[in-house]
Amino acid sequence: VISKDISRAVSILRSGGLVAIPTETVYGLGADATRSSAVAKIFAVKGRPAQHPLIVHIGSMDELTKWAVEIPESALLLAKTFWPGPLTIILKKTPLASEVATGGLDTIGIRVPNHPMALNLLKEFGGGVAAPSANRFSRVSPTEAHHVEEDLGSDVEMILDGGPCKIGIESTIVDLTNEQPAILRPGSVTREMLQEVLGHGVPVLKNSAVRAPGQHPKHYSPKARVIVVQENEVRAQAEEWLAKGEKVAVMSPNPAEAFPKDVLRIPISKNLSELAESLYANFRLTDALGAGVLIAVAPPASGIGLAIADRLARAANAFTD
Ligand code: TXA
Ligand code: MG
C-alpha cells in the first residue's frame, strides 16, 4: 500500500476512501472533508471518539473563506506568516466541512501543510482533506510511511510515501474564535513566534489540546512507562527502576558511561528541533527494545522545548493512576 502515486491517491479520495498523507509534522489519515461517509471511516479506523474534531488540510490560504467565516485579521496575519507550515488555526466554520469532521462543533481547525507531496495532492484534489495523525487512538503519531503501515495495516487503502517528517511533532493549534487568541497545543511554531507576529502575549491553555468532551490525556505514548526527570536525576531514577527488575531505556545526549551499564541508551541530539524530529521514532525504538521504562530529561519549557515537554508529559500521563 506504500506508494508515491499522487494521482491514485486523489482518485481514492474522490471515491470516498482513505489515504495516509505525508506532512512536515506527522503522517495524516486523510479523507474528503466534505463527505461524512468518508470522514466516518477515519474515526472507525482510528478508534477515535466521535466528538474529537479533525484538522482540515487545504492547498492554499486563498481557500480559507470556503471553510471559515468571521475570519479575524489575526488569522490572516498568522496564515500569511506561517503557511504553508505547522500551524493550525481554529475559526468559525462554514457548512462546507462535514459535521463528522468537526465533531459537531461550530468551529473548524485548518492548516496548509508544508510538504511538497501533500501540496501537490491538495492541488490536484482541489478540496480539503480532513486528517488526524495516522495512528490508532492514543498511540504514537507516525513520522514515516512504514510506521503507518505497521499501525494501520490494510485498514488504509494507500500510504503516500513522502519520506520522514522533518518537524516530527504535531502542528501548533491556535484558537482564534475568542477575543484573545490562545494556544491549544504547542508545536514548532512557538509561543514566542506567535507573540512576535501578533504583538501581544498568547496564553497556552492547559490540557486543552483536546477540547471536545470525553477525552483523556493518554496520547502520544509508547508502551513503556515514561518518566520525565531533570538531568541530575537520571542516574538515580535509572538505578531505582533497574533495582525493581525493569528493563530501562534512557533518552539522553550523554555518553553511555554516564549511566548504569544495564541501561539501554537511546542517543538524542542536544538540539531541540532535532530532538522533536526524532521523538516519536525514539518512542517506537523504546518499544522495539522491549523497555518497560523510558527515562527522558525535561527540556526547557520555551521555544520548541514547550511542545516537546507537552508530548513527554502526555506520554508520562498514560501511566498516572
Ligand atoms: O500536525 C498535525 O496537526 C497533524 C497533521 C496530520 O496535520 N494532525 C494532527 O491531528 O495532529 P490530530 O487529530 O491528531 O489532532 C488534531 C487536534 C485535536 O487535538 C483536536 O481536538 C484539535 O486538533 N481540533 C481540531 N478541530 C478543532 C476545533 N474545531 N476546536 C478545537 N480543537 C480542534
Ligand atoms: Mg493525533
Side-chain angles (χ1 to χ4, degrees):
V1 292
I2 297 182
S3 151
K4 292 186 194 294
D5 187 346
I6 291 177
S7 298
R8 203 177 129 239
V10 168
S11 66
I12 292 171
L13 290 174
R14 291 219 171 104
S15 66
L18 300 186
V19 178
I21 57 166
T23 81
E24 79 280 35
T25 57
V26 300
Y27 275 76
L29 180 61
D32 181 342
T34 66
R35 270 166 84 151
S36 296
S37 58
V39 177
K41 290 182 191 166
I42 296 176
F43 286 85
V45 165
K46 281 203 64 145
R48 179 170 171 125
Q51 322 89 311
H52 197 163
L54 308 179
I55 293 169
V56 174
H57 299 73
I58 58 176
S60 121
M61 183 179 161
D62 302 337
E63 291 163 44
L64 193 55
T65 51
K66 291 192 212 162
W67 302 92
V69 285
E70 297 171 36
I71 302 171
E73 201 54 45
S74 57
L76 300 176
L77 195 57
L78 292 179
K80 264 185 219 144
T81 310
F82 297 110
W83 284 357
L87 176 72
T88 297
I89 57 178
I90 310 289
L91 296 168
K92 284 256 156 49
K93 79 185 281 282
T94 66
L96 184 57
S98 156
E99 288 193 359
V100 180
T102 52
L105 298 174
D106 62 355
T107 56
I108 182 172
I110 313 179
R111 81 178 188 101
V112 179
N114 187 18
H115 189 291
M117 272 176 119
L119 289 170
N120 284 336
L121 171 95
L122 289 165
K123 204 163 152 198
E124 197 173 322
F125 178 56
V129 172
S133 51
N135 52 282
R136 306 262 185 218
F137 187 62
S138 95
R139 302 301 309 170
V140 178
S141 297
T143 52
E144 293 188 35
H146 73 95
H147 296 161
V148 181
E149 190 176 36
E150 282 152 26
D151 203 9
L152 302 184
S154 57
D155 282 350
V156 55
E157 276 165 73
M158 180 181 159
I159 301 165
L160 193 59
D161 188 356
C165 303
K166 296 224 161 66
I167 303 284
I169 54 172
E170 302 82 355
S171 61
T172 306
I173 303 180
V174 179
D175 186 352
L176 297 172
T177 61
N178 298 308
E179 199 74 33
Q180 267 287 333
I183 297 170
L184 302 187
R185 178 174 72 187
S188 72
V189 170
T190 65
R191 180 185 194 178
E192 293 84 348
M193 289 157 76
L194 293 166
Q195 292 182 156
E196 188 175 332
V197 171
L198 293 175
H200 57 73
V202 182
V204 181
L205 298 192
K206 260 222 132 89
N207 294 325
S208 59
V210 183
R211 216 172 49 165
Q215 295 312 309
H216 52 84
K218 186 187 170 181
H219 246 84
Y220 316 103
S221 53
K223 295 193 182 88
R225 175 191 291 263
V226 177
I227 297 177
V228 186
V229 297
Q230 298 305 314
E231 181 75 61
N232 62 359
E233 298 166 334
V234 174
R235 199 183 170 94
Q237 276 288 333
E239 277 163 358
E240 193 177 319
W241 287 100
L242 284 171
K244 288 182 192 163
E246 288 283 359
K247 207 166 181 184
V248 177
V250 171
M251 234 165 53
S252 171
N254 295 329
E257 303 82 75
F259 310 111
K261 76 167 176 27
D262 291 333
V263 161
L264 304 163
R265 177 176 163 262
I266 298 179
I268 55 166
S269 173
K270 279 204 164 91
N271 174 293
L272 291 182
S273 296
E274 289 171 20
L275 176 57
E277 187 184 343
S278 61
L279 184 69
Y280 292 146
N282 283 332
F283 281 179
R284 287 169 193 276
L285 177 60
T286 301
D287 286 343
L289 291 170
V293 173
L294 171 65
I295 299 174
V297 175
S302 61
I304 195 175
L306 188 67
I308 298 168
D310 170 77
R311 303 310 188 275
L312 286 173
R314 286 165 194 265
N317 252 330
F319 273 93
T320 314
D321 38 28

